[in-house]
Amino acid sequence: MEKITDKIFEKINPAIQELGYEIVDVEFVKKGSDATLTVYIDNVPAGVSLDDCEKVSVTIDPLLDELNPTNDEPYTLNVSSPGLDRPFKKQRDFERNYGKEVEIKLYAPMLGKKIYEGTLLSHNENTTEIECEGKQIKIENSKIAIARPLVKFE
């Protein structure tokens, strides 16, 4: 059975690409009688402004009405930038960040640490490799709870 977010992605992706954006993620969250559909978009390397989010929202709203993903149940539509510290979800997220500083949090400690910060060297379906404190460290992807860009505020 196809998930609702997959159906939404398939329906709106061509229109979003035509506008020059990329869908990073689609989330549908239902809490009690409240439902929220959030579409995260990006425009590499320019980023996303509030005007971009509005343009995408206006474009996809009639497509979502046509799809009727909630069978006439009300929901709130949000179109958003993924943010500076968005988690890597797809291979291309990792690829865009090769050579950049990242933060990797593990489910359980490895070599006495649960959080690693370092330069992202590579990522494939099995492992992620970073350079941390002058050492190359390979981490099995099944042990990674979250991987994302390292954001430092100075």
Side-chain angles (χ1 to χ4, degrees), residues 86-105 116-124 127-133 135-139 141 144 146-150:
R86 79 168 189 235
F88 304 150
K89 296 189 177 222
K90 301 176 181 170
Q91 177 66 29
R92 70 177 180 264
D93 296 332
F94 285 91
E95 290 170 0
R96 279 192 197 129
N97 287 280
Y98 287 165
K100 296 180 182 171
E101 294 291 308
V102 296
E103 175 186 53
I104 296 180
K105 293 183 179 182
Y116 285 86
E117 294 177 357
T119 304
L120 182 61
L121 301 175
S122 68
H123 173 81
N124 61 42
T127 61
T128 300
E129 188 172 4
I130 63 170
E131 183 177 321
C132 181
E133 299 171 354
K135 298 177 187 170
Q136 290 187 3
I137 299 171
K138 230 176 221 186
I139 304 169
N141 292 339
I144 297 175
I146 192 167
R148 62 179 166 207
L150 179 62

Side-chain angles (χ1 to χ4, degrees), residues 4-81:
I4 190 170
T5 53
D6 293 338
K7 289 179 183 177
I8 292 167
F9 179 92
E10 288 174 21
K11 181 71 174 178
I12 66 175
N13 190 45
I16 289 176
Q17 284 182 332
E18 191 172 303
L19 292 173
Y21 304 100
E22 169 190 357
I23 296 176
V24 173
D25 201 8
V26 176
E27 291 180 347
F28 183 75
V29 178
K30 189 165 169 84
K31 292 181 182 174
S33 62
D34 295 330
T36 303
L37 170 62
T38 305
V39 178
Y40 295 95
I41 60 168
D42 204 354
N43 182 7
V44 177
V48 175
S49 70
L50 188 57
D51 289 340
D52 296 322
C53 292
E54 182 180 6
K55 185 190 316 181
V56 169
S57 180
V58 167
T59 300
I60 66 173
D61 194 44
L63 298 173
L64 292 169
D65 287 346
E66 182 182 309
L67 180 64
N68 192 13
T70 61
N71 294 320
D72 294 324
E73 292 294 321
Y75 66 93
T76 302
L77 172 63
N78 294 318
V79 177
S80 177
S81 158

